[in-house]
Amino acid sequence: MDKLIITGGNRLDGEIKVSGAKNAALPILISTLLVDGPVTIRNVPNLHDVTTTMELLGSMGIDLLVHECMSLEIDSRTIKQFFAPYDLVKKMRASILVLGPLLGRYGKATVSLPGGCAIGVRPVDQHLKGMEALGAKINMQNGYIEAYVDGRLKGAEIVNDMVTVTGTENILMAAVLAEGTSVIKNAAREPEVCDLANFLNTMGAKISGIGTDTLVVEGVERLHGGEYRVMPDRIEAGTYLAAAALTRGRIKLKNAAPETMTAVLEKFTEVGAKITTGDDWIELDMEHRQPKAVDIYTAPYPGFPTDMQAQFLALNCVADGTSNVVENIFENRFMHVQELKRLGADIEVHGNTATVIGKPSLVGAEVMATDLRASASLVLAGLMSQGETSVGRIYHVDRGYECIEEKLSQLGAKILRAPGK
Ligand code: UD1
């Protein structure tokens, strides 16, 4: 397994491009299952999770063509299987997203249950409740969800018990071709949910309330082919901003979407960074100062994203002062704490709160990635550790960060990928 070897202490300074958003690309690629014609999706990030999605669609018999710069052409009319196997679902939980579109368009789907994962239990009860409300019959058999409906799904009012991103997306995709109107209340407002809804509308769906907690979906008979460009990745952008902030550096991000990052950009201002934004760019300048410690409280959008918690925790480890980082979305999302401690970080965890006492720098060591964003926090911490830090199990990083070592090197970091045992 490959490792990333980082020699810490370099102040980052430079310009990079933000990739397309993983969490928007996955549902959009999967939602092409609903479309009756060829679709071209641009700005797709080159990531392991995208490869897994292509493998999943390919395993169903769907035609996929990869053009230059990860522009994907997909025609789902060649579908032969309505099945998502355990092997692929356990690799990538987002595979559960095939349930809604398969039911909506073909009236049947067999999808493996995802099971637990490193950051918590993550049940899918809300997805299933939504499908049943739309008229699907669901059976659980041998670890699989078997769902079917006679004829078309029927529009209904659905109130989600909690804000769930993929739950909202799954129900939305199921409702698009249903008969009549569906109302999804307590819907997730994450920009990636909006991007999926905008994609579906571009293909002929009738969704309103996009960006609010109530989505209204007027069912249509069919979606037509077309083209769409995936939104920029706000989590990747935030991760590189954090890398620059904790090394007391400067960064300009191009192809970014600052309007999707208000809560995160406010935190960077609190840290002491000078933030400037344009329509599609963000600049952060620490002007060589040590960041100030900031309290973090994760919440659904527009609150501070749980997917940026680990990166800010790493930043707080090398900040001036003491901070509390409170994780409210996932029950076990502090796996990076033990690894950060190996680099000399001073962190205590009580329940869902991590208290961090900052220091000027950490000390390099061998650490291990446990999940996607945790692995990013270890890379960030390595940038501000004296000597060498080796981050193992970086397949987690590759699930969500395109060319991380190239992008960080471009900013002046000393980082290389080494084949591990
Ligand atoms: C998505 C993102 C992930 C992000 C998370 C929260 C994708 C592919 N992944 O994950 O990067 O960290 O949103 O912003 O977009 N829950 C239930 N029952 C359900 C569904 C969810 O109890 O049926 C709970 C979860 O356990 C969790 C909370 O709801 O505690 C929010 O999870 P959810 O928004 O569903 O996360 P994902 O969509 O899996």
Side-chain angles (χ1 to χ4, degrees), residues 23 94 122-127 162-166 306-307 329-330 333:
N23 286 354
R122 296 177 89 175
V124 291
D125 55 305
Q126 299 302 304
H127 302 233
M162 79 281 297
V163 177
T164 155
V165 174
T166 50
T306 172
D307 284 353
I329 308 292
F330 293 112
R333 207 169 195 183

Side-chain angles (χ1 to χ4, degrees), residues 102-109 131-132 134-138 147-155 177-179:
L102 285 179
L103 262 174
R105 175 113 189 262
Y106 301 101
K108 57 186 168 186
M131 301 304 148
E132 281 175 331
L134 294 169
K137 299 270 179 293
I138 295 192
Y148 68 94
V149 61
D150 279 335
R152 275 168 84 184
L153 291 170
K154 300 235 168 10
L177 297 180
E179 209 179 307

